[in-house]
Amino acid sequence: MFKVLVSDPISDFGIQQLMDAPDVQVDKNTGLSEDELVAIIGQYDALLVRSQTKVTPRIMEAGTKLRVIGRAGVGVDNIDLQAATQRGIIVINAPDGNTITTCEHAFAMMMAIARHIPQAYEKTIKGIWDRKSFLGVELRNKTLGVLGMGRIGSEVAKRAKAFGMNIIGFDPFMTDERADKLGIKLGSVDDIIRQADFITVHTPLTPETKHMIAGPQFEVMKPGMRIINCARGGIIDELALVEAIERGIVAGAAFDVFEVEPPAPDHPFLSNPNIIVTPHLGASTVEAQENVAIDVSEQVICILRGQPFKNAVNMPPVPADVLNKIQPYFDLGEKLGIFVSQLSKGPVVEIMVNYSGELAEVDTQPLTRYIVKGVLQQHLGSNVNVVNSMHLAKVRDINIVVQKSHVTKGFTNLITVTLRTNEDERLVAGTLLSGYGERIVQIDKYPVDVAPEGHLLLVKHNDKPGMIGSVGTLLGNNDINIATMQVGRKIVGGSAIMVLSVDRAVPKEVIEQLKTTPQINKAKEIVFQ
């Protein structure tokens, strides 16, 4: 039974699939202090939060069973990602669930500052009929600069097009083709700063985006421009913005987020009549709260059950079309790592992976993580997983080399893993065969055809008559049943290998007997748990 702790208020409807799962127990316990959470987290496999719970390294250290932290929302500022990655804890979010909600809020804020709606409302309900003070501007024919053309930024751009706005978008990952489809112009940050009548930001908060709009940027903006931030506090320098408003550079601003939340009572935004503020409401709709909870709950179940998952923020995102191509190879890649690490001796210095065939045409970084995990788990056990495998390799000064080739030696796809230690270098290659599944097709220089499962016995010997009989007799005398056998050799009468799948573990004393058998040079058991 998996145990999941929900430590922030999350829609019951959204986590219903978790509560209905027969192998999951859900406990809701909100408002806990760090000490209170540390005291109980050790019994849980998963933790679900929104933005209130601060998931610190101390909490994760106490969460000895913790496999996944789910954030019912987009931002993960409240989760220490480095600590999670180092401990092999998967952190997932729900990037799609509140896209429309946040987009609509940003657009509402843009309309509000264009027409002074909150200020006019405040005067009107006080009995002051003042039409002259609130002369607004139209959105039509104005230039909107969108900093960050991800999901939310793209949706804002679509709506702005419907209002007759001209859009300049900036995003380091947007192609000209996608910009053409959206009907926008791609530009630099500087282009947007200098040309836009309205600017809306939709980037994450990173060291690169912190204060990306500050004093120098305000100096070159159009007088009378307006700015909206419904993304993350800190992207815009708040004090520099107040100064720009006082100087008449910026006519109005609308902020749903602050550098420190909640803001101090004397925060200058709260007393400036040209700034509209809301208390981080971007994702605050009934639909969004349900959607993000549903999305994250679904992924938590997948992770706990060992099924494929998405939206891990401490792993590189994988497009669906790429995932469909590489996911069938995840298990094979891990087994190749397990196999070659058991073949080798001595500290690992380098892991070299070669992808051949169709795999050479796609991003194989996620697949490489599984291979590295397989190599490392021989020594690190359950402390290594696909989240922290690359990190653990790096801190151990293990060099990871990835090569790609279209030459496949007759296979549609081929994965070759070469492990170099300070004592030797070993190679294993594998593929997926239609109708047969995972197969190891090469061990060092020898061609073979072996299913990587259960207990395998690898015997290196001289290619002489009677060798198969000698090995079979020895194993039979020790009540070890042989399921399959493969022999690989390069030349007749030279060195060869024999790979036998057996029904149970081979005792060490039997391995030693094999090593002393004439014409046998080495014997090694390979185990797939």
Side-chain angles (χ1 to χ4, degrees), residues 2 77 123 146 248 411 433 484 509:
F2 301 113
D77 306 21
K123 270 198 171 182
V146 183
F411 301 102
L433 295 180
T484 64
E509 56 269 23

Side-chain angles (χ1 to χ4, degrees), residues 139-360:
L139 299 186
R140 184 171 64 97
N141 292 330
K142 299 297 190 300
T143 297
L144 172 66
V146 183
L147 292 172
M149 290 295 300
R151 298 176 182 87
I152 297 171
S154 296
E155 291 295 334
V156 170
K158 290 177 186 177
R159 285 153 181 77
K161 287 290 292 182
F163 275 73
M165 301 186 81
N166 305 308
I167 297 110
I168 304 175
F170 167 77
D171 194 288
F173 302 107
M174 174 162 274
T175 62
D176 291 330
E177 291 77 11
R178 184 156 176 263
D180 289 340
K181 287 181 181 179
L182 288 171
I184 70 167
K185 176 184 175 182
L186 277 182
S188 66
V189 174
D190 189 60
D191 291 334
I192 289 173
I193 296 298
R194 293 177 181 275
Q195 300 175 34
D197 300 296
F198 291 81
I199 292 176
T200 180
V201 295
H202 299 286
T203 70
L205 179 63
T206 67
E208 289 73 29
T209 62
K210 183 175 176 61
H211 289 183
M212 68 184 300
I213 299 179
Q217 287 72 38
F218 287 119
E219 290 293 333
V220 297
M221 287 181 179
K222 278 185 177 182
M225 64 82 61
R226 292 167 172 83
I227 194 161
I228 304 102
N229 185 6
C230 291
R232 280 288 176 267
I235 297 172
I236 299 168
D237 186 330
E238 295 173 349
L239 296 181
L241 171 61
V242 172
E243 182 181 346
I245 290 175
E246 291 173 348
R247 293 173 55 193
I249 298 171
V250 176
F255 271 56
D256 186 44
V257 291
F258 295 81
E259 290 199 42
V260 177
E261 295 183 359
D266 61 349
H267 193 291
F269 278 18
L270 306 183
S271 57
N272 193 303
N274 295 309
I275 301 178
I276 297 168
V277 293
T278 50
H280 209 143
L281 298 179
S284 295
T285 63
V286 172
E287 295 87 348
Q289 293 306 303
E290 291 179 349
N291 289 339
V292 295
I294 290 169
D295 288 352
V296 77
S297 295
E298 180 179 294
Q299 297 310 306
V300 166
I301 290 176
C302 289
I303 292 169
L304 293 179
R305 292 175 178 170
Q307 298 169 348
F309 59 91
K310 60 181 180 179
N311 300 334
V313 296
N314 53 347
M315 293 176 63
V318 185
D321 58 332
V322 174
L323 185 62
N324 289 337
K325 292 179 180 179
I326 65 174
Q327 185 175 304
Y329 292 87
F330 284 170
D331 193 47
L332 171 65
E334 184 173 335
K335 287 180 177 178
L336 291 176
I338 292 171
F339 193 105
V340 75
S341 67
Q342 293 183 63
L343 280 183
S344 304
K345 58 182 179 179
V348 179
V349 175
E350 182 176 83
I351 304 170
M352 186 168 70
V353 184
N354 186 282
Y355 296 106
S356 303
E358 295 174 356
L359 287 174

Side-chain angles (χ1 to χ4, degrees), residues 79-97:
I79 302 170
D80 192 312
L81 291 182
Q82 183 177 356
T85 301
Q86 290 174 352
R87 298 192 66 83
I89 300 170
I90 302 168
V91 180
I92 58 170
N93 66 348
D96 300 318

